[in-house]
Amino acid sequence: MFFRLGRGVVRHPWLVIGIWIVAAVAIIGLAPKLATSSSESSFLPSHYQSVQAQNLQQSAFPAAAAPGAIVVFERADGGKLTAADSSLVDGIASKLAADDIPTLSTMQAGPPSANKLIQTIAVQIPNVSGQLTTAQTNAIGTLRSDLSSLVSGTDLKAGVTGTVAEDVDSASTGNNAQKIVFLGTILLIIVLLLLIFRSPVIVLLPLLTIGLVSSVANGLIDFLSKAAGWSADSFTSIMLIVVLFGVGTDYILFLLFRYRERLRAGEPSKQAMESAIGRVGPAIATAAGAVMIAFLALTLSSLSLFRQLGPALAIAVFSAALAGLTLVPAVVSLLGTRVFWPSKAWKTEPKSARFAALGRSLGRHPGRFAGTIVVLLGVLGIVSFGFHPTFDLTAGNTATTQSAEYANVLLKGFPAGDSEPTAVLVQSTDGKQLGTASLASLRARLAKVPGVASVSPAKVNASGDVADYTVILSSAGESDAAMNTVRGPLQAVVNDAPAGSRALVGGITSVYVDLESAMEHDYSIVFPVAAVLILIILGLLLQSVVAPWYLMVFVGLGFAATLGASGGLFQDLDNQSGLSFVLPIMMYLFVVALGTDYNILMVSRLREEATEGKTPREAAAEALKYAGPTIASAGLILAGTFASLILAGGSTFEQMGFAISCGIAIAAFVMAMFLTPSATALLGARAWWPGHQNRGGHGGHGGQTAGDDLPSVLDPASGARA
């Protein structure tokens, strides 16, 4: 099948290129525009308590929900607010209300804090549903602009924080992060490809082709999102940049290294490209399939963040793989050997190749390689048991944003939970109005809960069947202390609601508690499903029952080692409270799926060498010699691409950039290059059971035999020989 694909692409390159261009123009022109979402509560399904509480609050108290924005005032000299200062704040609240900024409703100035350091204005923003609209973004911008004018020349300074303000800043930070990651990724690819091939043509090849593929993939994702009713978010956009350019460049490298190998074997340019597609095509297709299936397993997640991210990344990988097997070969077939210009190194194989020496050493001592690697990864894996999750997605914001800065200023005068109040809602279930005495009793019990700073009197709706308490926690909403309070003693009081009613806990801390519950569910579902599906793909590719199992064990060991390294760096050395809750599942999918890419490339080469009659140790040495440079180059580029996430700023992206790049480095440079071939050499023929690997002769090194024969496992449609 892949040899026929190669012949078709090489013989009709302009047709292939034309189809891609026409498809890109059509998809880009017709793709819809999407709204933006960055609110954690919008990621949860409706059966979670925090979502039910939010819906009840919005329906019963549409104008009394937690403020969407908070204007925070303090004296410029850091001193205590005077009576004149407080009067000025009241006047500013009146003037801001008179400005009648669209989407902003009531503006209520509160009293100064007990220590007279802080005073606030609560700004209500109706219809805050997790979908950040352009009108809300503009409203926050106008509010900040007007506020700056009103405090100018006074003794006060002020800023805007709160839920919607944080979302606006998060979206802005995300847009800046996209630009930073994009530029960092492009620069990295340029530098590394120049070092590897020393050809400006090869540098331009992935940039131009993946740029076209990126437009197609993003358009397809927008169509899918529109049909499914999904919104856009900066997190997905940033991950798409990294996946498209990182994975896309990897697949191009898989192809170009094999193309160069066939040229060195003496094949003409076009025939070399046909052979390259035929030989490496199954590995690219299988690797892409494994990655796509792993990403699609995210559709089983409880969180819309992952349910949307999975299909989006699967589309990106499919587009990159399709381009790697059609568009890139078509362009290279037109350029021929000029693709390597001005370098002449493609003509001859280096006589003292490092990978040849490494291969010989591994072939002689596979047990030493395997044992050392397993011990080292095992030690890092033990550290992973100290993993602790944090659930604040806004940790991606940097402290330089106004919302983050003034959230810290707010702490000077109010409890840490004041900007993120917890709501306790009581709803009648017997059709009667809620009793005043029972509501007062519940408030008294809530106020006695350890970790609760204050509880407001109950607000009762017009029909008297719903009451709302504003509960201020002593700790910041995303902290462990706040989450323990909500899930423990506060929930116990809520569960003991007055007779004839039910009570719900809402607010951001309740959202974090539900996120934790959702992630525990996802860990138990997404992880095993993705692992089983990848295991099946490996079994079909290798026609083996044994090899897929130890490959997946190795990948799991690499995942544990990566989590241990990340926890050790950020939790133990950097003293951060924990790792982002999204990190383990993102690591699992990228390290397991993308790490399997390199294992597939190596094990396919091992199988190929074995079918040509080499002993297991000889096959391991040859596979490392020829597949090693490809894996090293591809792994370096992909790991570096993910490392560019560190440039995006914020602890979430820093952790993700380090963890995924570290995991890919382990997968490529440790597992695929050394652990997989050494273990396969130790197992020998048993690795391919029940398949039969020794069907070829003993002539030549892998991939360069005179007859250029391949086993049918690498080209199922071709019969016994490709």
Side-chain angles (χ1 to χ4, degrees):
M1 179 177 74
F2 288 96
F3 278 95
R4 288 197 295 272
L5 174 64
R7 285 193 293 270
V9 169
V10 170
R11 292 176 185 178
H12 307 287
W14 286 113
L15 176 61
V16 173
I17 295 171
I19 291 173
W20 270 97
I21 293 175
V22 170
V25 171
I27 291 172
I28 295 170
L30 298 174
K33 301 298 180 183
L34 302 177
T36 300
S37 173
S38 57
S39 171
E40 289 92 335
S41 62
S42 67
F43 302 146
L44 288 165
S46 59
H47 67 270
Y48 281 96
Q49 182 177 182
S50 60
V51 180
Q52 293 178 4
Q54 176 180 291
N55 293 337
L56 178 59
Q57 186 181 56
Q58 289 180 347
S59 63
F61 306 96
I70 301 173
V71 183
V72 183
F73 294 85
E74 65 174 338
R75 283 188 59 86
D77 59 9
K80 293 184 178 182
L81 296 170
T82 65
D85 293 331
S86 294
S87 178
L88 179 59
V89 170
D90 292 337
I92 290 175
S94 299
K95 291 176 181 178
L96 288 174
D99 289 343
D100 196 22
I101 302 172
T103 79
L104 306 186
S105 57
T106 59
M107 300 216 185
Q108 181 66 47
S113 60
N115 58 12
K116 303 293 185 181
L117 293 178
I118 301 296
Q119 190 167 356
T120 63
I121 296 175
V123 182
Q124 293 293 343
I125 303 178
N127 302 320
V128 177
S129 61
Q131 303 292 326
L132 181 63
T133 64
T134 302
Q136 291 171 346
T137 301
N138 293 338
I140 294 298
T142 302
L143 176 62
R144 284 172 168 167
S145 177
D146 292 354
L147 178 66
S148 178
S149 299
L150 291 170
V151 298
S152 178
T154 71
D155 294 329
L156 301 177
K157 62 178 183 178
V160 181
T161 186
T163 305
V164 177
E166 288 175 354
D167 289 348
V168 169
D169 287 344
S170 180
S172 176
T173 302
N175 291 334
N176 292 333
Q178 289 181 48
K179 297 174 184 176
I180 293 171
V181 169
F182 178 77
L183 292 174
T185 299
I186 296 300
L187 181 62
L188 179 72
I189 289 175
I190 290 173
V191 171
L192 292 179
L193 288 180
L194 280 175
L195 290 175
I196 294 168
F197 289 101
R198 299 169 188 172
S199 166
V201 180
I202 287 183
V203 170
L204 290 174
L205 182 63
L207 298 183
L208 295 177
T209 55
I210 297 173
L212 179 65
V213 172
S214 175
S215 299
V216 172
N218 278 289
L220 293 174
I221 292 165
D222 288 345
F223 279 116
L224 174 63
S225 300
K226 185 71 173 180
W230 297 338
S231 57
D233 67 88
S234 57
F235 179 80
T236 298
S237 299
I238 291 171
M239 298 308 297
L240 282 173
I241 292 172
V242 175
V243 168
L244 277 165
F245 281 91
V247 174
T249 303
D250 267 12
Y251 294 156
I252 292 173
L253 287 178
F254 289 1
L255 180 72
L256 288 179
F257 270 96
R258 204 57 182 258
Y259 174 59
R260 187 176 67 178
E261 183 181 323
R262 301 315 306 154
L263 289 172
R264 288 173 175 173
E267 292 186 0
S269 175
K270 291 188 180 295
Q271 182 183 342
M273 179 52 68
E274 292 180 17
S275 297
I277 296 175
R279 288 173 171 271
V280 83
I284 291 176
T286 305
V291 175
M292 289 170 60
I293 283 178
F295 288 157
L296 288 173
L298 285 176
T299 57
L300 301 174
S301 171
S302 301
L303 306 178
S304 62
L305 168 68
F306 293 131
R307 290 200 304 274
Q308 296 175 32
L309 181 65
L313 295 181
I315 290 173
V317 171
F318 172 79
S319 302
L322 186 62
L325 293 172
T326 57
L327 179 59
V328 174
V331 174
V332 174
S333 68
L334 291 174
L335 294 173
T337 56
R338 292 188 296 273
V339 75
F340 299 108
W341 180 88
S343 174
K344 303 294 184 182
W346 63 269
K347 293 183 177 181
T348 55
E349 182 180 337
K351 296 185 180 299
S352 57
R354 294 188 183 93
F355 286 94
L358 286 171
R360 289 192 296 270
S361 178
L362 185 145
R364 289 194 297 267
H365 309 291
R368 295 181 186 177
F369 277 82
T372 302
I373 291 170
V374 168
V375 170
L376 292 176
L377 294 182
V379 170
L380 284 175
I382 292 173
V383 181
S384 68
F385 288 101
F387 163 71
H388 177 73
T390 61
F391 294 86
D392 184 12
L393 287 181
T394 60
N397 269 346
T398 62
T400 57
T401 61
Q402 188 176 124
S403 60
E405 178 186 354
Y406 276 87
N408 290 328
V409 171
L410 191 63
L411 298 179
K412 295 179 181 179
F414 296 98
D418 197 74
S419 63
E420 300 169 329
T422 294
V424 173
L425 292 111
V426 182
Q427 182 179 32
S428 172
T429 56
D430 59 7
K432 299 178 182 178
Q433 291 189 342
L434 297 169
T436 303
S438 62
L439 292 178
S441 173
L442 178 59
R443 181 196 177 197
R445 287 189 289 138
L446 290 172
K448 293 179 181 179
V449 171
V452 170
S454 65
V455 182
S456 70
K459 298 176 183 177
V460 182
N461 67 343
S463 57
D465 62 344
V466 179
D468 183 4
Y469 300 91
T470 298
V471 179
I472 304 300
L473 302 177
S474 303
S475 305
E478 68 277 6
S479 66
D480 288 341
M483 292 177 64
N484 289 335
T485 297
V486 168
R487 76 161 63 88
L490 184 65
Q491 188 65 55
V493 172
V494 166
N495 290 341
D496 187 23
S501 66
R502 66 162 185 159
L504 300 169
V505 182
I508 195 65
T509 306
S510 179
V511 170
Y512 293 145
V513 170
D514 285 344
L515 281 174
E516 183 175 42
S517 176
M519 289 308 302
E520 290 175 354
H521 166 270
D522 290 354
Y523 293 157
S524 65
I525 299 295
V526 176
F527 283 14
V529 168
V532 168
L533 292 176
I534 293 175
L535 191 69
I536 292 172
I537 287 180
L538 289 173
L540 293 174
L541 170 71
L542 302 174
Q543 295 185 353
S544 166
V545 173
V546 178
W549 281 102
Y550 68 79
L551 290 178
M552 289 304 298
V553 169
F554 293 163
V555 171
L557 182 61
F559 168 80
T562 304
L563 186 60
S566 302
L569 175 63
F570 292 104
Q571 293 180 194
D572 299 332
L573 296 181
D574 198 32
N575 293 320
Q576 294 188 17
S577 61
L579 300 178
S580 172
F581 78 94
V582 303
L583 193 60
I585 199 162
M586 297 302 295
M587 276 176 42
Y588 181 82
L589 292 169
F590 282 110
V591 174
V592 170
L594 297 180
T596 302
D597 272 13
Y598 304 124
N599 268 331
I600 287 174
L601 190 66
M602 175 58 76
V603 82
S604 296
R605 192 62 186 243
L606 285 165
R607 176 84 185 199
E608 183 179 336
E609 299 294 343
T611 59
E612 293 181 354
K614 294 181 177 63
T615 66
R617 297 193 177 204
E618 291 172 344
E622 290 294 291
L624 180 55
K625 176 182 177 181
Y626 288 101
T630 309
I631 293 172
S633 301
L636 185 62
I637 286 179
L638 190 60
T641 302
F642 275 100
S644 68
L645 289 173
I646 297 173
L647 302 175
S651 61
T652 299
F653 285 124
E654 287 176 356
Q655 292 175 7
M656 192 171 298
F658 171 81
I660 297 178
S661 59
C662 175
I664 289 172
I666 290 174
F669 292 96
V670 178
M671 293 188 297
M673 285 176 55
F674 297 109
L675 185 55
T676 294
S678 60
T680 304
L682 290 172
L683 286 170
R686 294 185 295 274
W688 312 113
W689 184 86
H692 302 285
Q693 74 277 21
N694 295 320
R695 289 179 289 183
H698 283 265
H701 59 65
Q704 295 186 15
T705 56
D708 196 26
D709 289 337
L710 278 176
S712 60
V713 66
L714 294 180
D715 191 6
S718 63
R721 293 285 183 187

